[in-house]
Amino acid sequence: MLKGKTALVTGSTSGIGLGIAKALAQHGANIVLNGFGDVEGAKAEIAALDVQVDYHGADMSKPAQIEDMMKFAATRFGRVDVLVNNAGIQHVANVEDFPVERWDAVIAINLSSAFHTTRLAIPAMREANWGRVINIASAHGLVASSQKSAYVAAKHGIVGFTKSVALETATTGITSNAICPGWVLTPLVQKQINDRSEREGISLAQAQKDLLGEKQPSLQFTTVEQLGGLAVFLCSPAAEQVRGVAWQVDGGWTAQ
Ligand code: NAD
């Protein structure tokens, strides 16, 4: 379905981003990876799916580096057809204790980076009259939790941004949608489980059980494969009139 198309996935060296990149590659898309950490491992996983893969190490908190990444993708593959804004970080603290530098980093990486990639991707999508912008928001794009003010603000922000872009492109073949996962067992969440276990003096297994029990009625993690499946659907012709949604994949978290 996506043969000949190119998907750029930010923050795709691990977790959800890598899972979505793999799902798009399984449907034939060439992939531009981004993020830190095990770059070679991620590249090898995508290359094994028999598509072309390349990597750009732009720091999503730096607009000039994002511009360079978008130019790189256009030069390497012609244009970005599917843009997945996924890179994200978390910081947990009460608002009065929240380090200003951490607030700025969360807003820059989780929200402003999507503005920069999207503004730079849309012109070529308009020319082709086809494009998919998929923003990885969160259940925290729809409801809040304490001690996550920057994350919740950024995720609510990206849900709003998704809708504006959907309206601006409504008469074209470009769609813009958000995916709102609940808990997914990735390094980002494993860190919160580790912190909880240490803080409360409980086992990792108990910390994991408590984390799920607090928010996610299914008591099961959402998987990166499930999120990949939804991203593939959003790229399909069946999703052509799905525009501006914030689609929960959260085991019932936001149904409560
Ligand atoms: P992760 O930590 O496994 O992956 C984050 C990715 O972003 C990595 O590839 C990392 O290298 C990259 N990254 C971090 N800072 C970056 C920067 N400055 N520039 C470029 N890349 C950077 O996390 P994840 O859980 O896979 O999260 C991915 C997205 O999904 C995030 O936006 C997160 O908010 C969202 N999300 C995660 C969950 C969950 O439960 N894990 C739930 C809802 C939403």
Side-chain angles (χ1 to χ4, degrees):
M1 182 177 81
L2 295 173
K3 203 151 188 59
K5 295 208 173 348
T6 298
L8 185 151
V9 186
T10 69
S12 45
T13 48
S14 80
I16 294 170
L18 180 57
I20 289 178
K22 279 164 75 173
L24 297 174
Q26 275 158 359
H27 285 78
N30 296 323
I31 303 290
V32 181
L33 294 170
N34 159 260
F36 310 137
D38 184 10
V39 173
E40 289 312 314
K43 271 174 92 172
E45 283 196 53
I46 301 293
L49 297 168
D50 222 15
V51 296
Q52 293 180 55
V53 57
D54 219 323
Y55 165 80
H56 193 287
D59 181 336
M60 287 299 113
S61 67
K62 305 268 190 315
Q65 293 187 27
I66 296 173
E67 287 196 21
D68 194 61
M69 177 182 75
M70 299 307 288
K71 274 192 203 135
F72 167 83
T75 307
R76 175 72 173 80
F77 290 109
R79 72 168 164 270
V80 172
D81 302 287
V82 179
L83 170 65
V84 183
N85 290 307
N86 166 79
I89 59 167
Q90 176 64 281
H91 188 84
V92 179
N94 283 330
V95 67
E96 66 271 31
D97 303 323
F98 217 93
V100 170
E101 164 274 322
R102 287 287 83 199
W103 171 277
D104 288 343
V106 172
I107 299 298
I109 295 165
N110 297 22
L111 176 59
S112 302
S113 72
F115 159 66
H116 294 295
T117 54
T118 304
R119 74 182 169 82
L120 295 165
I122 290 278
M125 288 179 176
R126 279 197 193 275
E127 229 167 80
N129 197 31
W130 196 92
R132 294 289 185 265
V133 179
I134 301 174
N135 295 322
I136 307 307
S138 166
H140 284 119
L142 302 168
V143 297
S145 294
S146 62
Q147 299 202 304
K148 293 186 176 174
S149 56
Y151 189 85
V152 168
K155 294 300 186 183
H156 274 67
I158 205 164
V159 167
F161 177 71
T162 303
K163 293 179 189 175
S164 278
V165 173
L167 293 180
E168 289 177 19
T169 55
T171 59
T172 75
I174 305 166
T175 71
S176 164
N177 292 292
I179 294 178
C180 296
W183 293 123
V184 187
L185 193 53
T186 66
L188 182 141
V189 165
Q190 188 61 51
K191 181 176 179 303
Q192 293 176 59
I193 293 169
N194 298 350
D195 291 349
R196 190 181 190 125
S197 148
E198 207 168 291
R199 193 176 59 243
E200 297 179 9
I202 54 177
S203 69
L204 283 172
Q206 189 60 45
Q208 181 169 309
K209 204 168 157 212
D210 293 352
L211 181 106
L212 280 172
E214 219 170 62
K215 301 281 187 188
Q216 200 143 312
S218 67
L219 301 178
Q220 291 178 58
F221 286 106
T222 299
T223 68
V224 299
E225 289 77 14
Q226 290 159 356
L227 298 173
L230 179 52
V232 167
F233 168 71
L234 289 174
C235 291
S236 74
E240 216 169 274
Q241 293 308 321
V242 179
R243 291 171 186 262
V245 306
W247 193 321
Q248 301 102 311
V249 193
D250 65 3
W253 180 326
T254 53
Q256 297 171 96

